[in-house]
Amino acid sequence: MGCGKCVVSGDRHYLTFDGRAFDFQGTCTYSLARVCSSDAGLANFSMVVENESYGNGQVSVARLLVVSIHGYTVTMERGRKWKVTVDGELYTLPLAMDDGKLWINQEGNNIIVQSAFGLKVLYDTSYYVLVSIPSSYKGHVCGLCSNFNGDKNDDFLLPSGKSTQNADEFGASWKVPVDGATCTDGCGKRCPVCDEAQTKPYQADSSCGLIKATSGPFKHCHSLVSPTEYFNHCLYDMCAANGAREILCQSVQAYVARCQAAGGTVSAWRTASFCPFTCPANSHYELCTRSCDFTCAGLFPPAQCTAKCFEGCQCDAGYAFNGETCTSMEGCGCVRDGRYIKAGESIISGACSEKCTCQASGGLVCEPHSCPGKEICALQDGVRGCVKQEGRCTLLPGAQLTSFDGASGGVLHSGAYELASLCNDSAPSWFRVVVDIRACSDGAVMAGTTAYIFFQDAFIAVKRNKETWDVVYRLEGDDVSY
């Protein structure tokens, strides 16, 4: 059975399931791929990518990749290896869920999500995303990765079913609304202009040319994965980033990941002076590592690894991956229901009714648990536990207000508003929050230009440009000193 592959790399370069290449520099959140038909025989899934500006602001990269599958929502974050959040809770990899129908591993540089029905997602947590789906999904998906019908000429389909030839219009049409997000759909007139003269310095084999060098370290990859698009993406990104070496390394690394995912053989390409790679204590760099097979969790039921090797860090002999670090076998933790728990670490059940601790000896001890009065069971920074109840009042762009009780306060107009204050103004913990709302130059209403937080003996002013003033004042008789 064949499969479709969609690639997202670098400064928002896309290669659809049908093979159409396009650039879209939007910095919002977008639907990458999802099931759009009602075919009952297909497992449902969806993927969204949240982009952000990077480096000098001329380049945008993926900040978050969210995969919804089998009733779970898996979130991978840029720069965060060996960890994912599932339904908001932070997990250390590897991880198996849904009775083995879903597993998530760290393989070399990459986090890889695999499903029993054939979906695979590879994310290098830096620069590159590779999505693979079975051919049974042909014509049943939509999003930035296209409809996967074998015809790349109709890939720019809008959610309405209409077609366009404009990449920015196509990309913006798949935007996922996010409350409070500040982003743009493309760079418009600010897009970097990179002509032949500007990209020429990066065509050398010592730069982007390394990707397609016929006698270079990737010569055995070329028959499996065409280097042309990756070379062109590298040229553009290097030009946009003014030749930043980090961009070059990430561009080459993207091609390496794609080649190794296809089962290709890569020769040594990193050196001490060219894209060096550092590894944690008790580990070393390998061009073809099987990190997924050598984890503490792997001492328990076998992990569902891809059987491919990827460049990255390999634990030294006698050590195993304990999350992002390597530990001796004696220092390994525990596994419960497919979840790895480090030695000395505790986890709390979904209802906070049970607390399980992995002892240093490797044994897992579980005991009843409950939250004290005035505390609720909730997630805080990805960790489940008992937390004090808190109310949240929000003021979003467009001056849309939501109260502590969740009621919509509608849209505020220009002026100064008191958002909240402690009713007992003589209490030591007294506070008052005031926001100043003003209209934009085009007449649209915006959220506060300045927020003022008053305390008993000081106030803080936070301006829209994130500039902060901290003013302390004291009352002495009828006088105020600052």
Side-chain angles (χ1 to χ4, degrees):
M1 181 176 67
C3 62
K5 297 183 185 298
C6 175
V7 170
V8 184
S9 68
D11 187 14
R12 302 307 85 209
H13 307 296
Y14 296 82
L15 188 63
T16 70
F17 290 128
D18 293 325
R20 180 165 184 171
F22 69 96
D23 295 340
F24 172 61
Q25 280 83 17
T27 59
C28 302
T29 300
Y30 305 92
S31 177
L32 192 59
R34 62 182 173 88
V35 178
C36 294
S37 74
S38 57
D39 191 317
L42 295 174
N44 195 30
F45 75 87
S46 69
M47 268 174 281
V48 299
V49 60
E50 179 185 322
N51 298 333
E52 68 176 352
S53 296
Y54 177 70
N56 60 7
Q58 295 295 306
V59 178
S60 63
V61 295
R63 189 184 82 83
L64 291 177
L65 182 64
V66 182
V67 181
S68 298
I69 185 173
H70 293 304
Y72 299 101
T73 299
V74 180
T75 302
M76 293 163 277
E77 184 175 335
R78 187 174 192 275
R80 187 176 67 189
K81 297 181 182 292
W82 288 98
K83 290 183 183 293
V84 298
T85 59
V86 180
D87 298 334
E89 187 168 3
L90 195 62
Y91 287 80
T92 298
L93 300 181
L95 175 65
M97 308 194 77
D98 201 26
D99 296 326
K101 295 178 183 177
L102 175 65
W103 51 96
I104 311 167
N105 299 312
Q106 179 82 36
E107 301 201 26
N109 285 328
N110 317 296
I111 292 179
I112 299 180
V113 179
Q114 299 180 84
S115 167
F117 69 78
L119 170 74
K120 291 183 181 179
V121 181
L122 179 153
Y123 178 37
D124 71 353
T125 68
S126 174
Y127 201 73
Y128 183 75
V129 178
L130 172 63
V131 180
S132 176
I133 59 175
S135 58
S136 55
Y137 283 84
K138 277 192 171 182
H140 297 295
V141 293
C142 59
L144 295 182
C145 283
S146 84
N147 54 10
F148 189 28
N149 68 349
D151 181 6
K152 63 182 180 182
N153 294 316
D154 69 352
D155 277 2
F156 282 6
L157 281 178
L158 308 179
S160 64
K162 295 182 179 180
S163 183
T164 181
Q165 292 302 313
N166 184 283
D168 282 356
E169 181 185 5
F170 170 65
S173 74
W174 290 104
K175 180 164 65 175
V176 177
V178 177
D179 287 344
T182 302
C183 60
T184 59
D185 291 317
C187 45
K189 296 180 180 179
R190 298 179 294 103
C191 291
V193 177
C194 296
D195 56 27
E196 178 75 15
Q198 291 170 303
T199 60
K200 188 174 182 179
Y202 312 120
Q203 297 179 23
D205 287 358
S206 59
S207 188
C208 297
L210 183 68
I211 294 174
K212 67 172 189 175
T214 55
S215 59
F218 314 126
K219 60 184 178 182
H220 298 301
C221 296
H222 296 165
S223 61
L224 294 172
V225 181
S226 172
T228 303
E229 293 294 344
Y230 291 84
F231 170 71
N232 291 336
H233 294 168
C234 180
L235 292 181
Y236 181 90
D237 292 355
M238 285 292 283
C239 171
N242 297 318
R245 179 53 64 96
E246 182 183 6
I247 297 297
L248 173 60
C249 296
Q250 291 177 335
S251 296
V252 178
Q253 180 178 300
Y255 187 66
V256 172
R258 180 66 183 90
C259 175
Q260 292 185 317
T265 301
V266 174
S267 300
W269 66 280
R270 296 182 188 269
T271 67
S273 58
F274 185 83
C275 304
F277 199 95
T278 58
C279 291
N282 304 315
S283 68
H284 58 279
Y285 169 78
E286 289 278 0
L287 187 61
C288 184
T289 180
R290 297 291 298 274
S291 59
C292 179
D293 293 320
F294 298 98
T295 65
C296 283
L299 301 175
F300 299 88
Q304 296 284 353
C305 303
T306 62
K308 304 286 176 61
C309 73
F310 296 91
E311 70 162 353
C313 296
Q314 176 66 55
C315 290
D316 297 338
Y319 291 85
F321 278 108
N322 184 40
E324 65 276 15
T325 60
C326 292
T327 186
S328 64
M329 300 297 184
E330 296 77 16
C332 283
C334 314
V335 171
R336 188 189 195 203
D337 297 331
R339 177 177 187 174
Y340 179 69
I341 308 167
K342 294 180 181 179
E345 186 177 66
S346 297
I347 61 169
I348 295 177
S349 66
C352 291
S353 59
E354 185 181 56
K355 180 179 181 180
C356 293
T357 302
C358 180
Q359 298 180 323
S361 61
L364 189 66
V365 177
C366 297
E367 55 188 5
H369 183 269
S370 62
C371 294
K374 296 185 179 181
E375 290 190 0
I376 59 172
C377 182
L379 288 168
Q380 192 169 55
D381 297 326
V383 178
R384 189 175 304 280
C386 300
V387 298
K388 291 182 179 180
Q389 287 184 282
E390 63 177 29
R392 178 172 294 182
C393 173
T394 59
L395 181 64
L396 300 177
Q400 299 180 37
L401 180 70
T402 302
S403 73
F404 286 122
D405 295 323
S408 173
V411 177
L412 303 181
H413 300 288
S414 295
Y417 293 84
E418 180 173 329
L419 291 186
S421 65
L422 189 66
C423 296
N424 182 3
D425 56 11
S426 61
S429 58
W430 177 84
F431 70 91
R432 184 186 188 199
V433 180
V434 176
V435 65
D436 182 20
I437 296 176
R438 296 184 185 179
C440 297
S441 57
D442 60 2
V445 177
M446 61 180 291
T449 56
T450 308
Y452 303 92
I453 303 98
F454 296 87
F455 304 100
Q456 286 287 13
D457 59 357
F459 80 88
I460 298 172
V462 183
K463 301 185 71 175
R464 185 168 176 262
N465 61 2
K466 299 182 181 179
E467 178 181 318
T468 303
W469 301 337
D470 186 354
V471 181
V472 178
Y473 54 88
R474 294 179 177 83
L475 290 174
E476 298 179 359
D478 293 329
D479 298 322
V480 179
S481 60
Y482 294 87

